[in-house]
């Protein structure tokens, strides 16, 4: 991927991070939660390495990327400078990219179908390697969006955990852009509670404060940190 495909990034990342952390702290206080229980995932997709480095310099270590290929070109160099980074895949994963994804990411947030779960298990059995996995729930049941349907979530979680013995540590959702997000956060929380899953990755730049009220442990924020993205 060439540099002109990525954001040049002229926004004040340090100031943006301070403001977002203040908002997270305030939302946690309002919900009687400890801010340490909310992880900010800095969504760095479509931003070039020099721009992402500004957040690393500010002490941020948890980042989210959408694509395996972009991450493979960007993150090895950044990790040579900042070895304690935790990298999350937050975009759809094709089964033919499982090997590459497992080698790059510490967390895959988008396990969303049996075929992918079985491919991850097969790779784990062959190599002994598997990152932490979140199951993506399509809370809005949008046909164009990845994620397991809520009605199928219980069976899918059972498949992943009991039959395949995958390390399912969290759930993730992306509410429909034209709907109030709160019911979707509530639905994700109910599914997580049924299965004693502590991690709930929900909330983005426009709704992370609401997500915190409904129990988000991870909020995925990109534009509010890095500015608009180039494509």
């Amino acid at each position: 991927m060439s540099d002109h495909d990525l954001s040049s990034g002229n926004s004040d990342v340090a100031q943006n991070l301070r403001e977002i952390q203040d908002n997270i702290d305030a939302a946690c206080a309002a919900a009687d939660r400890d801010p340490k229980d909310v992880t900010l995932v800095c969504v760095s997709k479509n931003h070039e390495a020099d721009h992402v480095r500004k957040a690393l310099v500010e002490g941020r270590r948890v980042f989210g990327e959408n694509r395996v290929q972009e991450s493979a070109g960007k993150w090895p160099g950044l990790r040579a400078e900042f070895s304690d980074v935790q990298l999350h895949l937050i975009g759809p994963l094709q089964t033919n990219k499982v090997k590459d994804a497992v080698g790059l990411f510490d967390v895959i947030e988008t396990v969303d179908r049996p075929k992918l779960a079985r491919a991850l298990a097969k790779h784990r059995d062959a190599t002994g390697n598997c990152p932490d996995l979140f199951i993506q729930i399509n809370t809005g049941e949008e046909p164009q969006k990845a994620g397991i349907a809520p009605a199928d979530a219980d069976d899918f979680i059972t498949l992943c955990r009991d039959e395949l013995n995958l390390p399912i540590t969290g759930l993730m959702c992306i509410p429909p852009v034209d709907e109030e997000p709160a019911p979707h956060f509530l639905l994700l929380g109910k599914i997580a509670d049924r299965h004693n899953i502590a991690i709930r990755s929900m909330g983005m730049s426009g709704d992370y404060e609401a997500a915190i009220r409904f129990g988000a442990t991870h909020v995925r924020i990109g534009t509010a940190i890095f500015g608009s993205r180039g494509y």
Side-chain angles (χ1 to χ4, degrees), residues 112-148:
D112 65 347
R113 59 200 187 279
K115 183 179 179 181
L116 176 57
R118 294 186 188 281
L120 286 161
K122 181 179 180 180
H123 183 78
R124 185 269 322 279
D125 292 344
T127 66
N129 297 323
C130 190
D132 285 345
L133 304 174
F134 298 178
I135 289 175
Q136 182 175 356
I137 309 294
N138 187 348
T139 56
E141 301 186 63
E142 299 173 274
Q144 81 282 7
K145 187 174 287 181
I148 197 80

Side-chain angles (χ1 to χ4, degrees), residues 146-208:
I148 197 80
D152 299 325
D154 292 340
D155 287 345
F156 184 56
I157 292 168
T158 299
L159 167 71
C160 291
R161 282 178 149 183
D162 297 348
E163 180 179 332
L164 302 177
N165 197 29
L166 289 171
I168 303 298
T169 60
L171 301 183
M172 182 267 251
C173 74
I174 305 172
V177 296
D178 57 349
E179 293 186 18
E180 167 62 37
H184 298 273
F185 299 151
L186 184 62
L187 174 58
L188 191 82
K190 287 181 177 179
I191 297 170
D193 287 343
R194 284 203 299 272
H195 295 274
N196 296 312
I197 295 175
I199 295 176
R200 298 104 193 267
S201 176
M202 55 189 195
M204 298 186 290
S205 290
D207 56 18
Y208 65 94

Side-chain angles (χ1 to χ4, degrees), residues 81-135:
E81 299 177 63
F82 304 93
S83 60
D84 54 344
V85 164
Q86 184 184 85
L87 194 59
H88 290 223
L89 178 63
I90 59 172
L93 176 60
Q94 298 174 325
T95 54
N96 65 353
K97 296 288 187 181
V98 161
K99 179 181 177 181
D100 293 336
V102 170
L104 279 167
F105 294 96
D106 303 287
V107 179
I108 295 173
E109 295 201 17
T110 50
V111 180
D112 65 347
R113 59 200 187 279
K115 183 179 179 181
L116 176 57
R118 294 186 188 281
L120 286 161
K122 181 179 180 180
H123 183 78
R124 185 269 322 279
D125 292 344
T127 66
N129 297 323
C130 190
D132 285 345
L133 304 174
F134 298 178
I135 289 175

